[in-house]
Amino acid sequence: MERWALYHNLEYDSGEEKNPRLIFYNDKDEEVKVVPVQKMKADEISSLLESLGFYKRSQKGEEVPEEFKHFPLNVPRDEL
């Protein structure tokens, strides 16, 4: 999906995964949360990512503001 390419610090694997999920990592590359997305609509996933502080570019190639260049999660771990 091209829409996920607009999010900074997010990787999307378009493989034939039967149980698609978002995996969140901290700045030490440790897994902190896994969210199944199989039953979520694209706009629900976008809302979730934006609520967690992921920066979404308005177009491909747009420069990411300095405050968003590092790991995007702005919420405490227990709120994930």
Side-chain angles (χ1 to χ4, degrees):
M1 247 186 217
E2 187 66 30
R3 108 177 27 223
W4 311 124
L6 296 176
Y7 285 94
H8 179 63
N9 282 348
L10 178 74
E11 292 182 26
Y12 174 73
D13 180 2
S14 61
E16 297 297 319
E17 180 70 37
K18 293 182 186 222
N19 296 307
R21 57 204 173 140
L22 294 174
I23 304 172
F24 298 99
Y25 297 90
N26 63 16
D27 58 348
K28 296 175 185 166
D29 209 26
E30 300 167 331
E31 186 178 298
V32 294
K33 179 75 174 174
V34 177
V35 178
V37 295
Q38 183 175 10
K39 296 180 181 179
M40 293 176 76
K41 295 179 182 174
D43 61 333
E44 293 172 317
I45 296 170
S46 290
S47 292
L48 172 64
L49 292 171
E50 290 170 24
S51 74
L52 293 173
F54 281 84
Y55 180 78
K56 184 178 180 183
R57 299 173 184 94
S58 59
Q59 62 185 1
K60 207 169 185 176
E62 175 189 339
E63 185 67 27
V64 176
E66 188 63 38
E67 64 269 23
F68 291 101
K69 287 190 176 181
H70 300 289
F71 194 69
L73 294 178
N74 295 324
V75 294
R77 180 179 176 157
D78 59 345
E79 288 186 30
L80 288 174

